[in-house]
Amino acid sequence: MDNNHNEFTRRSALKGAAAAAVLAGTAVALPNVAVPSARAVPRTGQGKGREVAVFGGGMSGLAAAHELIERGFRVTVYEPAFLGGKARSHDVPNTARGGRQHLPGEHGFRFYPGCYQHVPDTMERIPLAGGGDVKNRHLVNVETAVVAFDDTGYAPVSAPASIMGFIDHAPAIVNLENLRNALTTGLKFVVDIPPHELAYFVARELIIATSCEERRLGQWEKQSWLQFVKADGKSPAYRAYLAGALTRALVAAKSHTASARTIGQIGLALATSATGLVGHYDAELVNGGVDRILNGPTNHTWIDPWVAYLRSRGVRFAMGTGVSRFQVAGKRITGASMSDGSTATADWFVAAMPIDRLKPLLTPDLVGADPSLTGIRRLEDDWMVGIQYFMSRKSEVPPSHIASLGTPWALTGLFQAKPWNVDFAKTYGDGTVRDCLSIDISEWEKPGILYGKTAKQCSRKEIAREVWAQMSRAMNAGGKRILRDEDLVTWSLDPGITWSPTIQNATPLMVNTAGSYAHRPTAHTRIPNFFIAGDHVRTNIDLATMEGANESGRRVTNAILAAADSPARPAPVFPLWELPMLDPFKAEDRNRYRAGLPHFLDV
């Protein structure tokens, strides 16, 4: 084998060693990173086979294939539709002219926060033609952020995401218009959300930061974020923005259903990575990295090179077919009946599909072999997909993610030309498009402002008009027309949304709900040759993200290594790092929790 490919990079090795996070696929139970799901995988050694069938070519399936093929296993990935899953991008059909590429469509805009570790580690191990790797050539910092509000009196504000971001984009940040907007919005925010409520919200996050793992799982996991931050009785702005919209914008979760433990922990991870005080995160306030994106369409910059690398290592891809039933005998999987009528056989079977595809496969014989799998049926999914607006004018907004807080459909977005550092007119379409505003629609069940209908009640054109109207109202609230109707050339809604005859979504996203942790499966099951990967699997990040899906693929790898009694090095699994200075507070809280006492700040 090629030693350059077979060995981890020095950076990855040091990272894994520092984390002490490679113990049969689990994070070591340190006081501040212990996760009950991260128990050691039993080394059964019941099989020596090296043939693995992975059903699903999304993030988790590709991650599992990557780790397994580098450890001497033979891997076949079965994918009925598209490789890359919910992370993929696509070409907008029939839009290329004059030797240019098709306009770039995305399932949604990409967000790689500084607390992500598994995805960047994988990117760093994907070589590119001409040298380098995906991470170092294509993962770039987004150095500013735009916060817009769907409320009268607020104006959109551009803010730096790092000191270097401030230096590089000072003219766009320190100008009269932005300073006026910041002052206007800041004063209104203080009026709408009293200082004591702001302090209270910070105190609630501090409770999460200083809670022991037992309390997080035993108490905060069972509460919604909205309950935890005690939104009842607070000002309307507190409920709308701090308790609700902020959660929607950062992690695409609903504050009234998502568990306080999950939202609190990911908020803590985002904040911790931004400080630069934890060296395991590739982020800091000086040089940035708190917010990162790929500098081009996801498939072009990541998925396609990844698949090419996996093929070069021997991964086989069986496209156009998916599993329709797992065959069970003697409490083992003996084969998989495929949608094309064939039967897939292997030594080890990995279900790496989303929960909407996994649930129908939970047949009585499968659940009879592992009754704990019934919990999967109680997991919930929701819709979050993207729409792209292609414009004839390049945006004047500095490279930034846009959090449009309070919009009925919970919109977030990104102008792509500047952070991609590309001339759209020369590269894509027919030469008339100079920028693209990629927007995620995270709320599909609240009425909009144009038609008074939910997104699920709208036609394709109505969705496009409604999203544009909502984003325009928020972005243009400062008096300057950042979005202009006359600049709009065309748009593209995620092709996974179809009307046949009623609206359907081919790629729903699992959503975190209070108490759902107990129902999430582990990567290894009680069926000795059956494993589960996906963002619904218990992971350290515990959130439906590409980071969680990637981590689950590594956990599957390590479970297979244990079951096969393989001597190969386990795949690194990284914890969410927290500041060591918090450990004494967690230790005190552990004593209080075991004594039945509340958290010392929970007053």
Side-chain angles (χ1 to χ4, degrees), residues 2-17 22 63 66-68 70-71 118 121-122 124-126 309 313 554 557-558 561 568-574:
D2 184 343
N3 288 334
N4 290 332
H5 291 330
N6 199 35
E7 294 295 326
F8 293 113
T9 63
R10 178 183 298 273
R11 180 190 190 120
S12 298
L14 290 174
K15 197 174 186 181
V22 187
H66 190 149
E67 303 299 339
L68 287 164
E70 289 188 343
R71 288 164 175 79
H118 300 94
D121 176 75
T122 294
E124 198 170 27
R125 293 157 48 213
I126 302 172
Y309 170 69
R313 295 302 302 268
R554 295 163 182 251
T557 296
N558 294 340
L561 293 180
R569 178 193 300 178
V573 176
F574 307 113

Side-chain angles (χ1 to χ4, degrees), residues 313-444:
R313 295 302 302 268
V315 175
R316 174 176 172 262
F317 291 92
M319 301 299 295
T321 184
V323 61
S324 57
R325 184 175 66 88
F326 287 109
Q327 302 168 5
V328 184
K331 294 193 174 182
R332 291 181 65 88
I333 305 297
T334 58
S337 300
M338 305 302 292
S339 59
D340 62 1
S342 65
T343 298
T345 58
D347 300 304
W348 316 102
F349 297 82
V350 180
M353 69 279 290
I355 58 171
D356 64 302
R357 306 282 177 87
L358 180 58
K359 286 179 180 180
L361 301 176
L362 299 175
T363 55
D365 52 353
L366 189 69
V367 174
D370 185 353
S372 70
L373 298 179
T374 58
I376 295 172
R377 294 195 179 108
R378 302 182 65 176
L379 300 178
E380 301 177 18
D381 56 29
D382 203 349
W383 293 18
M384 185 184 73
V385 299
I387 184 170
Q388 285 75 50
Y389 294 92
F390 300 99
M391 297 172 294
S392 61
R393 180 174 63 100
K394 189 173 182 179
S395 169
E396 298 175 5
V397 175
S400 54
H401 268 124
I402 301 166
S404 192
L405 304 182
T407 44
W409 290 2
L411 307 178
T412 48
L414 172 76
F415 286 106
Q416 292 178 320
K418 286 184 180 178
W420 285 9
N421 192 28
V422 65
D423 187 328
F424 256 73
K426 291 182 178 180
T427 308
Y428 302 109
D430 62 1
T432 63
V433 173
R434 289 175 172 78
D435 210 337
C436 171
L437 174 59
S438 183
I439 295 176
D440 258 7
I441 310 168
S442 297
E443 175 58 72
W444 286 76

Side-chain angles (χ1 to χ4, degrees), residues 16 19-29 35-45 67 71 118 522-525 531 537-538 540 551-574:
V22 187
L23 180 60
T26 174
V28 172
V35 176
S37 72
R39 62 181 183 273
V41 178
R43 298 191 70 84
T44 61
E67 303 299 339
R71 288 164 175 79
H118 300 94
T522 55
H524 60 285
T525 72
F531 308 87
V537 170
R538 292 187 183 185
N540 289 334
E551 181 184 336
S552 76
R554 295 163 182 251
R555 289 181 179 277
V556 160
T557 296
N558 294 340
I560 291 176
L561 293 180
D565 203 21
S566 169
R569 178 193 300 178
V573 176
F574 307 113

